[in-house]
Amino acid sequence: MILYAVLAIVTVLLALFVNNRCARLQYGFSRQQVLNAFSLLSVFLLLFAVSALRLNVGNDYAKYVEYFHLIRCKLDTPTVVPTEFGFNAVCILIYLISGRNENFLLMFALFAFLTIFLFLKAIYRQADSFVFSFFLFMFLGYYFQSFNTIRYYFALAIAVNMIPYVLNREWFKFIALGLLGATFHKSLLVVIPLYFLASLTYKTWQLVVLLVLSSSTFFLKDYFLKLFLLIYPTYEKTEYLEGGTSMINILRCALILVFSLIMYNRVVKKHKRNSFYFYCNLGALVLYVCCSFLPAIGRVGYYLNITHIFFIPALINGIENKKIKKLVTIAVIAGVVMYFVIFLLKKAGADGLRILPYQTFLYHEMVPILSDVS
């Protein structure tokens, strides 16, 4: 726990030196550009080291070790692997390059490298303030939760990098990147329609119609569940079919919705990017409330609420009164820090996440996987 807290604090302090809006020189590099490069590299190396050195940290770590083992077996004999073909292809390529050695630590390190790089790249390019957005990324737990379900968080990092394409109406690049990402985690396919819908402009009556249609899930739950099982038949008769949602996520989306409605005319209404964030937040709230019975609805919601790391600073920047702006900033920082403390104390070590206690292969041994005991 102390390691995670220190990591979050140190990397945010390093992020203070990053100015992602500095002007680029035509020839050479400015002092700020050099400082940016040093700070970003330091942040990346710290995050990568903690992620890559972990062993059996994450609720599904052993399951992924099993996946890597099955993919390695696929090189010699026909083997059924439940993961997507893009993920399998990358793993097979790494195995071939490394002499067919079954090194699961290398696989975890590779996806940690790619995931962290893509997140930092997206924050640097899209944030109004790198340090504020990075602070939210760390203290809202996005980085630490990437220790779980590595395919999904790699897909989530890809989704964040898809946002500029949808805002710029570069539909071919947007769809192509989405389809590529879906070869690693097929849930990324939902981002294509959801981000497209969030990029549109709606009239009040259209929103009312959409909300009424969304509320139909309360009465047609069984039909929607059957439709879901047609798409994801592997969920049938498993514990994942129980669904569930997070009250904290609902509360967070609701508070941001109230804040954004207060700032709507000034910050959201005529601002394409902030309007996109607004509808992403609204969509996440609707999903959490109306579709809580669907399995893994939280993953779909995360594709939408990841925009909070950009939307919250944009809303605060829109406050004209400096005194009120300072008070709101302090309140947000305090609230996020409180959330992070609760996350570490209550959620990080629980069965659904299990990123505590932290262990590293430098001092610990891997527990037997299914193939070892069967």
Side-chain angles (χ1 to χ4, degrees):
M1 184 184 302
I2 295 176
L3 172 66
Y4 293 163
V6 170
L7 178 67
I9 293 170
V10 170
T11 52
V12 169
L13 290 176
L14 285 169
L16 283 170
F17 297 101
V18 176
N19 178 4
N20 59 319
R21 297 302 173 191
C22 69
R24 292 186 178 183
L25 297 180
Q26 187 174 1
Y27 301 102
F29 301 95
S30 66
R31 180 181 177 184
Q32 183 59 56
Q33 284 179 289
V34 174
L35 189 57
N36 282 353
F38 174 79
S39 300
L40 287 169
L41 180 61
S42 300
V43 168
F44 174 82
L45 290 177
L46 287 171
L47 297 182
F48 173 68
V50 172
S51 184
L53 292 175
R54 76 188 193 278
L55 180 74
N56 202 24
V57 175
N59 193 49
D60 56 359
Y61 190 97
K63 183 185 292 185
Y64 270 93
V65 175
E66 176 74 12
Y67 290 159
F68 293 137
H69 171 70
L70 293 176
I71 294 170
R72 171 61 184 84
C73 292
K74 197 177 181 69
L75 288 173
D76 301 319
T77 58
T79 306
V80 177
V81 184
T83 47
E84 290 82 357
F85 73 88
F87 177 80
N88 299 344
V90 169
C91 294
I92 288 173
L93 178 62
I94 298 302
Y95 279 139
L96 292 174
I97 293 174
S98 59
R100 293 176 173 248
N101 294 319
E102 190 172 324
N103 189 344
F104 64 86
L105 296 173
L106 178 61
M107 298 301 183
F108 280 107
L110 171 66
F111 281 96
F113 182 97
L114 295 174
T115 302
I116 296 167
F117 173 79
L118 288 175
F119 271 125
L120 290 180
K121 172 177 173 286
I123 295 172
Y124 185 83
R125 291 190 174 184
Q126 298 177 48
D128 289 336
S129 166
F130 179 86
V131 64
F132 202 166
S133 291
F134 180 75
F135 162 75
L136 294 172
F137 172 72
M138 292 298 295
F139 279 76
L140 288 177
Y142 290 107
Y143 164 73
F144 296 103
Q145 293 189 77
S146 70
F147 294 176
N148 255 315
T149 322
I150 60 172
R151 288 162 34 249
Y152 169 75
Y153 276 92
F154 177 57
L156 182 63
I158 293 175
V160 183
N161 283 273
M162 291 168 62
I163 293 175
Y165 295 137
V166 71
L167 293 178
N168 295 328
R169 299 296 193 265
E170 297 179 79
W171 299 118
F172 177 79
K173 293 180 180 179
F174 171 67
I175 294 173
L177 187 55
L179 294 176
L180 176 63
T183 66
F184 292 87
H185 201 283
K186 59 186 175 183
S187 67
L188 189 61
L189 289 173
V190 304
V191 167
I192 296 176
L194 289 178
Y195 280 10
F196 171 74
L197 291 172
S199 70
L200 302 177
T201 301
Y202 297 91
K203 296 180 180 179
T204 303
W205 69 269
Q206 292 173 320
L207 289 175
V208 171
V209 170
L210 289 174
L211 290 174
V212 170
L213 290 175
S214 299
S215 65
S216 67
T217 57
F218 293 117
F219 311 103
L220 302 173
K221 181 187 299 186
D222 292 338
Y223 294 99
F224 281 102
L225 200 55
K226 289 179 181 178
L227 178 62
F228 177 86
L229 289 175
L230 288 175
I231 303 174
Y232 291 95
T234 56
Y235 277 83
E236 192 167 6
K237 296 181 180 180
T238 67
E239 69 273 16
Y240 301 110
L241 201 59
E242 297 176 2
T245 190
S246 168
M247 291 305 299
I248 293 179
N249 282 330
I250 291 176
L251 178 61
R252 192 170 98 198
C253 290
L255 289 174
I256 292 175
L257 177 61
V258 172
F259 187 16
S260 61
L261 288 174
I262 294 172
M263 302 294 297
Y264 188 83
N265 288 332
R266 184 178 304 162
V267 178
V268 177
K269 189 175 181 179
K270 295 183 179 180
H271 198 295
K272 180 172 63 174
R273 185 191 60 170
N274 292 339
S275 176
F276 173 80
Y277 298 153
F278 174 84
Y279 288 119
C280 281
N281 178 68
L282 180 61
L285 180 59
V286 170
L287 286 175
Y288 287 137
V289 173
C290 299
C291 302
S292 61
F293 62 91
L294 290 176
I297 194 63
R299 292 182 182 179
V300 180
Y302 262 47
Y303 283 126
L304 297 172
N305 72 24
I306 186 65
T307 58
H308 288 174
I309 65 175
F310 305 124
F311 194 29
I312 293 174
L315 290 172
I316 293 175
N317 285 340
I319 301 175
E320 295 181 347
N321 187 298
K322 291 184 179 180
K323 186 175 181 179
I324 295 177
K325 183 177 182 178
K326 184 177 180 179
L327 290 174
V328 172
T329 302
I330 293 172
V332 169
I333 292 174
V336 171
V337 170
M338 187 180 300
Y339 172 88
F340 184 61
V341 172
I342 295 172
F343 170 79
L344 291 181
L345 293 175
K346 300 293 185 181
K347 188 177 179 182
D351 289 339
L353 194 58
R354 209 177 59 75
I355 61 173
L356 284 174
Y358 182 81
Q359 296 180 340
T360 170
F361 64 80
L362 298 175
Y363 303 108
H364 300 87
E365 296 291 335
M366 182 60 196
V367 298
I369 60 174
L370 182 61
S371 295
D372 295 331
V373 298
S374 60

